[in-house]
Amino acid sequence: MKTKQYLLVTVVGVSLFAALMNLPAVLGFAKGIAGLLLPIIAGGILALFINVPMNGIENRLKRVFRTTKKRSPHKLIHLVSFFLTMGLIVLVFGVVLTLLVPKLVVSTKNLYAQIEANVPKWLAYLNAQQINAEWLENLLSGIDVKQLIQHIKNGVDALLPNVVNALTSTVSGLITVAFTAILAIYIILEKDRVCRHGRKLVSAYLKPAWAERILRFCQAFQASFTKFLTGQCTEALILGLLMFASFMIFRLPYGSLVGVLTAVCAIIPYVGAFISGAVSVFLTALYDPTLAIRCVAVYLAVQFVENQLIYPRVVGESVGLPPLYTLIAAMIGGNLFGIVGILFFIPLMAVAIDLVREDAEQRLKSRNAPPGRRR
């Protein structure tokens, strides 16, 4: 037994030493593997998000069949839940785009009209100041037209390969997105089989104690993530309605647009507030620059109420996390993995805290137990 352990330690040590000595090659190999696995990982993450509303719809359909005392066809309910979820997602995106796009078009037209109306005033102001344009004439006379044309030609020649590379990257990205969506659909439709195969592999290749811990962690994380995403969507809806009502009360423009934009961006914890706030102030300034300060004050006041009262209680309590831990989890996840890290680290920390608490309670009980009862 000791010989096997020594051999294992030796193999691991030699492997680590070889990897460190050839670190660029190892990193390149890891990058290639990550590129191959990217659609699978992204598809799994997308399926995890879609599974939350789909599970809710599926559970409600099962309750309907139970009340009617009919046999619930599991496969049919699963398929109907999937199509209802997809229809709901398309409907939400359609409503958001329907509300956002026309308002953005109107804002762009207002910006163009204001610039067009103010250009004559700017020109009249410059003429009234009698600005000397001799420096401009000297600058234009010093320009070599042939040299300028040659520079433009060289720039176009250098630009063409970049355009080709950009188009290639775009096509590659679209293909990756397509594969990701297809994989997510297959995972959702075959989630029972995927989960069953996963449990079988974990139980077959790991020790019973480790297999039990991993399966328990996965179940706890799925339940925690479902509660978190549900609470996050609820909080986003509440914040959007508050922002809409505040803009209407204080007579600020684009109340419906800001409400929808705030609700959409609020899905991203803490970070979405900066995005929606900047866009809201920009749109308000385009409509009337004198209202920009009022818009900033109203937006900051609503965000303060949301951050101190709504978000920690709605989202934090949905996953069983105190407000302080919720903020810490969002900060750590955002610094490590960006938006995806924020969305995953809050339920992940909730599960980790629960498991550590249970383990600590068991250790304390075993220490306080009589000697004959200790394990």
Side-chain angles (χ1 to χ4, degrees):
M1 189 66 181
K2 290 184 177 180
T3 304
K4 291 183 179 180
Q5 292 179 354
Y6 292 152
L7 182 61
L8 180 61
V9 171
T10 303
V11 171
V12 171
V14 172
S15 300
L16 289 176
F17 179 77
L20 291 175
M21 293 300 294
N22 300 277
L23 189 58
V26 173
L27 292 178
F29 178 76
K31 185 177 180 181
I33 296 297
L36 292 175
L37 296 178
L38 179 61
I40 300 176
I41 298 173
I45 294 174
L46 182 60
L48 186 62
F49 278 95
I50 297 175
N51 186 58
V52 173
M54 183 176 171
N55 265 345
I57 295 174
E58 191 171 355
N59 292 332
R60 282 168 176 76
L61 290 178
K62 288 180 180 179
R63 292 175 187 173
V64 171
F65 275 92
R66 287 176 186 173
T67 55
T68 57
K69 296 181 180 180
K70 293 182 180 180
R71 184 180 179 184
S72 60
H74 178 71
K75 292 184 178 180
L76 180 60
I77 290 178
H78 188 70
L79 193 62
V80 172
S81 302
F82 171 75
F83 283 111
L84 288 177
T85 304
M86 291 294 103
L88 180 63
I89 293 173
V90 172
L91 179 63
V92 170
F93 274 101
V95 171
V96 171
L97 292 178
T98 301
L99 293 175
L100 286 179
V101 173
K103 296 292 185 180
L104 291 177
V105 171
V106 172
S107 301
T108 305
K109 290 181 179 179
N110 291 338
L111 176 62
Y112 178 78
Q114 290 183 9
I115 293 176
E116 188 178 14
N118 290 325
V119 164
K121 298 179 182 178
W122 298 338
L123 294 177
Y125 175 79
L126 293 176
N127 292 329
Q129 298 298 322
Q130 296 181 354
I131 296 177
N132 187 8
E134 184 178 356
W135 62 272
L136 182 60
E137 296 178 359
N138 296 331
L139 178 63
L140 293 176
S141 62
I143 296 177
D144 189 351
V145 179
K146 293 183 178 180
Q147 187 177 3
L148 179 62
I149 294 174
Q150 184 64 32
H151 282 306
I152 294 174
K153 182 181 178 182
N154 294 335
V156 171
D157 293 337
L159 182 63
L160 288 177
N162 295 329
V163 172
V164 173
N165 292 333
L167 291 176
T168 304
S169 300
T170 302
V171 173
S172 178
L174 292 175
I175 293 174
T176 303
V177 170
F179 273 112
T180 299
I182 294 172
L183 286 171
I185 292 173
Y186 273 105
I187 293 173
I188 284 293
L189 293 178
E190 299 289 338
K191 66 177 182 178
D192 293 336
R193 183 180 298 177
V194 172
C195 293
R196 186 169 60 252
H197 289 172
R199 286 193 295 267
K200 186 181 295 185
L201 289 174
V202 171
S203 301
Y205 289 96
L206 296 178
K207 294 181 179 180
W210 282 100
E212 182 182 358
R213 291 176 183 177
I214 291 176
L215 293 176
R216 185 182 175 188
F217 175 81
C218 292
Q219 292 175 355
F221 177 76
Q222 182 182 3
S224 179
F225 183 77
T226 300
K227 293 179 181 179
F228 165 73
L229 191 60
T230 303
Q232 193 70 30
C233 293
T234 304
E235 184 265 345
L237 181 61
I238 294 173
L239 181 60
L241 292 175
L242 282 177
M243 200 64 69
F244 169 73
S246 301
F247 269 58
M248 292 294 101
I249 292 173
F250 290 94
R251 297 180 180 180
L252 290 170
Y254 306 118
S256 59
L257 172 62
V258 171
V260 174
L261 183 64
T262 303
V264 172
C265 293
I267 301 296
I268 308 170
Y270 300 106
V271 178
F274 295 99
I275 301 174
S276 58
V279 176
S280 301
V281 174
F282 177 72
L283 293 176
T284 304
L286 291 181
Y287 181 83
D288 188 352
T290 60
L291 297 176
I293 298 178
R294 187 191 305 178
C295 175
V296 172
V298 171
Y299 200 92
L300 290 178
V302 175
Q303 285 291 343
F304 178 80
V305 173
E306 186 264 346
N307 289 331
Q308 299 299 322
L309 302 177
I310 300 174
Y311 184 83
R313 286 163 175 77
V314 174
V315 180
E317 292 182 359
S318 66
V319 295
L321 270 183
L324 177 61
Y325 291 163
T326 305
L327 294 172
I328 292 174
M331 182 179 62
I332 295 175
N335 289 331
L336 291 177
F337 302 105
I339 295 175
V340 177
I342 295 174
L343 294 176
F344 276 94
F345 260 67
I346 294 177
L348 187 64
M349 179 172 280
V351 175
I353 289 176
D354 288 339
L355 295 178
V356 171
R357 184 187 298 117
E358 291 180 3
D359 183 70
E361 291 177 355
Q362 291 179 358
R363 289 174 181 269
L364 291 175
K365 288 181 180 178
S366 64
R367 290 179 182 178
N368 296 328
R373 294 184 181 181
R374 293 182 183 177
R375 295 181 178 178

